[in-house]
Amino acid sequence: MKSSYIGIGLLNPKSPTNMGGIMRAAGCYDADAVFFTGKRYLLAATNGNAQYNTDTKGASLSIPQTQVEDLREAVGSEISLVCVDLVEGACPLPEFQHPEKALYIFGPEDGTVSQSLIDASDAVVYMPTKGCMNLAASVNVLLYDRMAKMAHFENGDALIRQSRDTNNRVRIKNIKV
């Protein structure tokens, strides 16, 4: 049984393109689930505006996407709630120590995390940038940071062979220092 847990919580996301990018990131970094609130994403995904499928690895086939009323109730009390947003007083991501089990909560593309959710969270982190990042890009950066710091990944050529695109068969033959 897996001792860690990675959940992604999205507050009223609106873009199917962002959701596809988030699902691809969830697959790349071994997330367990994606939860979302609101109706904008489902409405956009069903009304013909879902122009691009950015989940090209099909992560949504194996990682559940669940609509919930309240992200605080999406997971059990043993899971830490970590809000990720540009909030005064938040911890910069490079200094943050990830909990073993976490639900990372991201605000909507055109809004922010509510004060009540910030107050209920176990931690609040931000990514030091000039301006705000795209939602899917933020999820990617957060998940990469977690993987890099927690070293829950397989190193070496086996991982590369498993992960790379089928059109990539390049190898290093000789490195001159």
Side-chain angles (χ1 to χ4, degrees):
M1 180 148 200
K2 200 172 151 182
S3 64
S4 66
Y5 178 87
I6 304 170
I8 304 299
L10 307 170
L11 292 166
N12 202 20
K14 67 178 185 176
S15 165
T17 303
N18 266 339
M19 185 63 92
I22 290 163
M23 292 309 298
R24 184 170 180 165
C28 287
Y29 298 106
D30 205 22
D32 295 286
V34 174
F35 301 95
F36 65 95
T37 66
K39 297 180 176 140
R40 296 187 313 172
Y41 161 65
L42 291 178
L43 181 62
T46 58
N47 77 6
N49 289 337
Q51 299 173 5
Y52 305 106
N53 179 7
T54 51
D55 178 17
T56 58
K57 299 292 184 183
S60 58
L61 299 174
S62 60
I63 300 171
Q65 296 177 54
T66 306
Q67 184 179 22
V68 296
E69 286 295 317
D70 188 335
L71 291 170
R72 290 172 280 203
E73 298 170 9
V75 294
S77 61
E78 74 281 3
I79 308 294
S80 297
L81 298 180
V82 179
C83 291
V84 184
D85 206 345
L86 293 170
V87 175
E88 291 183 33
C91 177
L93 185 59
E95 296 175 13
F96 182 64
Q97 295 302 310
H98 296 268
E100 193 67 31
K101 297 178 180 184
L103 174 65
Y104 297 99
I105 298 172
F106 295 81
E109 292 95 331
D110 55 356
T112 192
V113 177
S114 70
Q115 186 67 54
S116 64
L117 195 48
I118 295 290
D119 294 344
S121 68
D122 297 296
V124 181
V125 300
Y126 76 97
M127 293 164 203
T129 65
K130 290 185 180 180
C132 61
M133 293 171 58
N134 167 278
L135 178 58
S138 296
V139 171
N140 270 282
V141 168
L142 182 282
L143 292 177
Y144 173 80
D145 185 77
R146 177 187 170 95
M147 181 207 57
K149 288 177 180 173
M150 298 186 86
H152 290 178
F153 59 94
E154 179 183 338
N155 283 313
D157 290 344
L159 177 64
I160 292 168
R161 282 191 294 275
Q162 173 188 339
S163 301
R164 68 183 173 191
D165 187 89
T166 56
N167 296 322
N168 177 354
R169 295 293 176 248
V170 178
R171 295 173 181 236
I172 295 174
K173 291 187 180 195
N174 235 347
I175 297 179
K176 297 179 182 179
V177 181

